[in-house]
Amino acid sequence: MPLPDALVRPDVADRSEPRYPLDVAFCPACSLVQILEEVPPTELFVDNYLYFSSVSEGLMRHSREHSLQLIESRGLDETSLVVEVASNDGYLLRNFVEVGIPVLGIDPAPEQAAAAEAAGVPTLREFFGATLARRLRDDGRRADVIVANNVMAHTPTLNSFVNGLEILLTDDGIATIENTYVKDLIDHCEFDTIYHEHFCYFSCAAVDALMRRHGLYLKSIEYFPALQGGSLRWSVSRHNEPDESVGLFLEAEREAGLLDKSYYREFGARVARVREDLRDLLAALRADGKTVACYGAAAKGSTLLNYAGIGTGLVEYVVDRNVHKHGLLMPGVHVPIHAPERLLETMPDYLLLLAWNYRDEIATQQAEYLRRGGRFIVPVPTPAVV
């Protein structure tokens, strides 16, 4: 597969693109699900990374609610320090800045870090791990709260990452970690969530084992079924004082079989069926003279289009709100990317939701497209016109 965020300029579209194996495996010893081929993080998150968190209105609301809840529950004030790992464009930390709470963002992506600093969020342009955490601690900076949203899956050095959390936290501090839930990925056949930027896919059992290895413990677990196709927020601290949610999730995973390889065995066959069904649906629509466009030039969209072999013979173009992607081509399949306004200009009969995890948000944004008779195609767990 090509790198999912390595969008292609039209003037170099004839050049070959690097491709890497994308195999995923389950470890019965620690319950971790992970890919087996590691691409250097600089190629993923510095050279080719155009994701800006603030593009999503739903994610902005979710992040603000989380920030306000942390301020209240932790009693944060001007003497506190909130650190976010993978702070992107400052989408979350700006909520603390506006009430005078000191923050520090950590993110290696240059354009996103610049946007965060422009929003008043001081940002270190580095990858997070034990070495950086130790340097910050030695400089007298320790965090009362560390936020790590959709980043722990993005690191190939998990032990250094979690060791860094332990080093940087104050004695009574907490870290909150959000990532997609591997149970939803498997149950709902969300195979497009698997790509080179996501090294790991977490169950609560895997997170529990990982944290304990570094002197941290699960404190609470929250489930957000509508976020990123199903996400969990794990709160961890130095103290082994779990609330009721921790035991309930761990027991539910044991009962469901997530700790056994048989739970994952049929996943590949189910994914192949989705690919064939989706191709058949699109081919039938095109044979009937219908036009199809796509919504969402994100990494998951690249995975779906390339795995299913969906190019310009089946879809016209992709639209995305991120202006940094306009005028470029999707990796591998070279489908052109345009602004969402193109939908009303050309009125394709169907819109394939590559960003299906934002279905409700897209429906609100594209109310006029739907009013004029446009239809959505949702690709997973089974392709369907809605």
Side-chain angles (χ1 to χ4, degrees):
M1 300 282 278
L3 296 182
D5 275 316
L7 302 181
V8 179
R9 299 199 322 268
D11 61 313
V12 296
D14 57 342
R15 298 180 188 175
S16 63
E17 299 167 62
R19 292 177 178 264
Y20 301 86
L22 190 58
D23 298 314
V24 65
F26 167 74
C27 174
C30 68
S31 303
L32 185 66
V33 175
Q34 66 183 73
I35 62 172
L36 300 179
E37 181 84 8
E38 293 182 1
V39 178
T42 52
E43 293 186 34
L44 296 169
F45 305 114
V46 178
D47 298 337
N48 298 304
Y49 202 58
L50 293 176
Y51 175 75
F52 284 74
S53 299
S54 58
V55 168
S56 169
E57 296 173 2
L59 183 60
M60 291 291 284
R61 287 193 299 271
H62 173 79
S63 301
R64 181 164 180 80
E65 291 170 4
H66 184 199
S67 301
L68 296 178
Q69 182 263 328
L70 284 170
I71 292 170
E72 180 178 359
S73 65
R74 305 302 296 178
L76 301 177
D77 57 26
E78 67 277 1
T79 67
S80 308
L81 176 62
V82 178
V83 173
E84 185 180 12
V85 183
S87 47
N88 201 267
D89 57 7
Y91 73 106
L92 180 140
L93 289 181
R94 65 183 68 177
N95 294 297
F96 299 94
V97 170
E98 70 181 25
V99 293
I101 296 171
V103 302
L104 176 65
I106 300 172
D107 200 298
E111 292 191 53
Q112 289 83 345
E117 289 169 343
V121 176
T123 305
L124 289 178
R125 302 183 185 194
E126 300 185 44
F127 287 99
F128 180 77
T131 299
L132 175 57
R134 200 171 290 112
R135 191 172 83 230
L136 291 172
R137 182 195 62 188
D138 293 346
D139 286 343
R141 290 192 280 184
R142 298 183 73 191
D144 299 283
V145 172
I146 300 176
V147 178
N149 289 346
N150 299 302
V151 60
M152 193 163 73
H154 290 69
T155 176
T157 54
L158 272 183
N159 288 302
S160 176
F161 183 91
V162 179
N163 188 22
L165 299 180
E166 192 276 332
I167 291 169
L168 193 57
L169 277 176
T170 60
D171 290 343
D172 61 349
I174 67 163
T176 67
I177 302 161
E178 289 185 21
N179 268 116
T180 54
Y181 191 17
V182 73
K183 184 177 188 299
D184 287 333
L185 187 157
I186 300 297
D187 289 353
H188 304 153
C189 210
E190 298 170 359
F191 69 92
D192 51 350
T193 304
I194 299 172
Y195 45 84
H196 297 102
E197 291 168 8
H198 287 169
F199 295 95
C200 298
Y201 308 85
F202 296 102
S203 62
C204 296
V207 172
D208 183 47
L210 176 61
M211 294 300 151
R212 288 176 180 271
R213 182 179 297 177
H214 297 282
L216 296 173
Y217 301 91
L218 287 175
K219 183 179 180 67
S220 65
I221 302 172
E222 298 171 80
Y223 178 50
F224 301 95
L227 183 68
Q228 304 286 6
S231 293
L232 292 182
R233 177 187 294 154
W234 299 279
S235 295
V236 303
S237 72
R238 300 177 183 277
H239 309 289
N240 192 6
E241 300 171 345
D243 70 9
E244 182 183 25
S245 64
V246 174
L248 290 175
F249 269 95
L250 291 174
E251 179 58 29
E253 288 185 354
R254 282 191 291 269
E255 291 182 357
L258 265 71
L259 280 63
D260 188 84
K261 62 184 179 182
S262 61
Y263 184 80
Y264 307 89
R265 184 173 289 127
E266 297 302 318
F267 181 63
R270 290 165 51 215
V271 170
R273 284 196 294 272
V274 171
R275 174 180 59 188
E276 298 309 314
D277 290 348
L278 181 58
R279 283 187 58 85
D280 289 347
L281 172 60
L282 295 176
L285 291 174
R286 293 306 297 265
D288 196 34
K290 305 300 183 183
T291 54
V292 183
C294 305
Y295 194 109
K300 66 192 305 113
S302 175
T303 296
L304 189 144
L305 293 179
N306 279 279
Y307 174 71
I310 298 171
T312 53
L314 290 174
V315 297
E316 305 285 327
Y317 55 82
V318 179
V319 298
D320 197 284
R321 295 184 72 194
N322 188 336
V323 296
H324 300 274
K325 299 181 179 183
H326 298 166
L328 300 176
L329 307 175
M330 293 295 287
V333 293
H334 292 182
V335 178
I337 303 167
H338 299 286
E341 288 76 15
R342 190 171 181 88
L343 291 175
L344 296 184
E345 295 170 0
T346 64
M347 276 306 298
D349 298 297
Y350 294 88
L351 189 60
L352 173 60
L353 299 187
L354 303 179
W356 50 262
N357 48 316
Y358 291 114
R359 173 179 166 179
D360 292 343
E361 184 175 328
I362 296 169
T364 300
Q365 292 172 12
Q366 298 303 323
E368 179 62 16
Y369 168 79
L370 294 172
R371 189 191 70 79
R372 294 188 189 181
R375 302 285 300 277
F376 286 171
I377 300 172
V378 178
V380 297
T382 56
V385 176
V386 297

